[in-house]
Amino acid sequence: MLKPTLLTISMLASLGAQNSAHALPHSEHHDHANAGPLVIGHRGASGYRPEHTLAGYALAIEMGADFIEPDLVLTKDGHMIARHEPMIGGTTDVANHPEFADRKTTRMVDGFVVTDWFASDFTLKEIKTLRAIQTRGRDNSYDGEFEIPTLNEVIALAKQQSEKTGRRIGIYPEIKHSTYHADLKNAKGKSLFGKNFFEDKLLKKLHKEYGNSACAPVFIQSFEVSNLQYLSRKTDIKLVQLIDADDVNADGSMSLVAPYKQPYDFVVKGDQRTFADLLSNDGLDFVKTYADAVGPWKPYLVKTVAVDFDRNGDGKVNINDRIVEGSTGVVEMAHDKGLLVHTWTFRNDASGYGFADPQQEMTYYFDLGVDGLFTDFADTAVAARDASINAEHADFLGRCESRDDDGHEGHARHHVR
């Protein structure tokens, strides 16, 4: 696999990442200064390095990403660390640590039984003895080299690289499984964190580092709703409602199967609305009351229809062969309501619904008018944006300069485009 980067060994060391014995291939540097739609480094440059590592985030920035995305979970002692899920067995080498063998346990996560190691059973000191490993069958040559970073370290990296590059590098944290974290109990059966502990801790950190401002280079995202509603009453930092689904049906419609059918807090409350309902006319009006943007899985935005023949001539029949029928109207409707649209996830090695060429796919979505996209391959996304008709047309902060009647910076929600 091609592994482009500009990082040097000494630079990685200065960022707090472990020294690498591997040669670091070359990549052309891009300085876009946030012009055009956003390129968001999904879990860093996770196509090239183990996800959620300082090395991966730094590489995404070097490739031209405007924002880096730390998914956040809590340790036993309440520290925010960057992991895709509370379960850490698939993304760390914890299974190779005999001292932690008895930590493997079974829990309910969003209504489903999961057996794994959970971050909330480890102190930060213990987490720091683990090392990240690559996922999705990708290059494993960097396994075991990089620590699990804290949010503090990710912010420090973004600020350091902003100063170094002259670009404003933003962060795009996701609160993972808010209800799960709120309901966690300690060994004595008492609440480990409690309701909104996670949200309050995150805001305290973000307000300290960036201020309580819609102009901060920060988006907070979640698949749940009530935590975003809570945050909307406490911060002007931009909020994003994520929209999930299970699969795409042959006719291009969305398949909605638990746990990807509804926000989990809706399940707990008995609210029957699905993720798809949140992208309807009424649903977007609802989202607009508490969020600045929607983050739908990309098949919600472009309809593709399955075929039973090798349309692109690569000798295989798969999702790349689907016929692209164009916009579903979600982007246009969201924009009409003043909501930004950030979509996910674009990969060079998978998930190209209707497209065999990943750069062509990303350019198509940029041309459609999305305000940003998440990608494991930031270099490909930067090239795709450069080729897009909308390369210079977006203002990612929106009308963050809005003021109230007294001349103070106002809450920009509902005024983001």
Side-chain angles (χ1 to χ4, degrees), residues 29-35 61-62 64-66 157-170 396:
H29 177 68
H30 295 271
D31 186 4
H32 290 273
N34 296 322
I61 294 167
E62 286 293 317
D66 306 295
L157 171 65
K159 288 189 169 185
Q160 181 186 40
Q161 290 299 292
S162 293
E163 183 175 353
K164 178 180 177 61
T165 64
R167 297 189 290 126
R168 197 180 192 197
I169 308 302
F396 82 83

Side-chain angles (χ1 to χ4, degrees), residues 326-339:
S327 175
T328 61
V330 168
V331 172
E332 295 83 354
M333 183 163 54
H335 282 168
D336 285 346
K337 295 178 183 297
L339 290 165

Side-chain angles (χ1 to χ4, degrees), residues 138-404:
R138 290 169 171 166
D139 177 17
N140 295 110
S141 61
Y142 295 95
D143 285 6
E145 294 194 20
F146 307 122
E147 288 185 358
I148 312 308
T150 63
L151 176 61
N152 292 351
E153 291 170 320
V154 176
I155 291 173
L157 171 65
K159 288 189 169 185
Q160 181 186 40
Q161 290 299 292
S162 293
E163 183 175 353
K164 178 180 177 61
T165 64
R167 297 189 290 126
R168 197 180 192 197
I169 308 302
I171 65 167
Y172 209 123
E174 180 183 347
I175 300 173
K176 299 297 294 194
H177 302 279
S178 181
T179 297
Y180 163 84
H181 279 97
D183 291 344
L184 277 172
K185 303 291 192 295
N186 62 20
K188 296 182 179 180
K190 294 184 179 180
S191 178
L192 185 60
F193 304 120
K195 187 175 182 181
N196 296 129
F197 172 92
F198 201 163
E199 289 77 18
D200 288 338
K201 188 174 185 70
L202 176 60
L203 276 194
K204 183 178 180 180
K205 180 63 179 176
L206 294 177
H207 286 171
K208 178 182 178 181
E209 295 288 347
Y210 295 103
N212 180 11
S213 170
C215 294
V218 181
F219 289 93
I220 304 173
Q221 57 177 329
S222 177
F223 282 104
E224 295 192 26
V225 172
S226 56
N227 58 346
L228 292 176
Q229 292 174 314
Y230 174 82
L231 289 169
S232 73
R233 299 188 290 271
K234 292 182 172 292
T235 189
D236 285 335
I237 289 175
K238 298 173 292 298
L239 306 177
V240 184
Q241 178 64 62
L242 298 174
I243 306 292
D244 211 346
D246 171 62
D247 204 349
V248 187
N249 296 318
D251 66 357
S253 62
M254 305 306 297
S255 171
L256 296 170
V257 177
Y260 311 105
K261 180 179 180 181
Q262 299 174 270
Y264 186 63
D265 56 319
F266 278 14
V267 176
V268 172
K269 294 176 181 179
D271 190 322
Q272 297 301 307
R273 285 176 294 176
T274 67
F275 279 116
D277 290 330
L278 295 181
L279 291 182
S280 68
N281 183 64
D282 290 343
L284 289 172
D285 283 339
F286 169 70
V287 170
K288 185 180 175 182
T289 64
Y290 62 87
D292 306 281
V294 287
W297 185 32
K298 60 188 178 182
Y300 276 105
L301 307 183
V302 172
K303 183 177 180 180
T304 64
V305 177
V307 296
D308 60 1
F309 59 94
D310 180 16
R311 190 170 67 89
N312 59 32
D314 65 357
K316 300 174 289 186
V317 177
N318 55 29
I319 62 172
N320 302 146
D321 295 301
R322 296 176 74 104
I323 295 174
V324 179
E325 294 195 345
S327 175
T328 61
V330 168
V331 172
E332 295 83 354
M333 183 163 54
H335 282 168
D336 285 346
K337 295 178 183 297
L339 290 165
L340 296 168
V341 180
H342 296 164
T343 190
W344 49 275
T345 300
F346 293 81
R347 300 181 169 103
N348 290 6
D349 52 4
S351 70
Y353 289 85
F355 296 88
D357 182 327
Q359 181 175 322
Q360 182 185 42
E361 180 192 25
M362 293 184 217
T363 296
Y364 184 94
Y365 279 81
F366 281 134
D367 285 351
L368 185 67
V370 300
D371 302 285
L373 58 78
F374 291 80
T375 178
D376 296 359
F377 299 83
D379 51 343
T380 304
V382 168
R385 179 175 61 185
D386 287 346
S388 169
I389 60 174
N390 291 317
E392 305 297 331
H393 292 172
D395 172 11
F396 82 83
L397 290 175
R399 299 181 192 171
C400 64
E401 74 282 4
S402 62
R403 305 280 167 171
D404 62 22

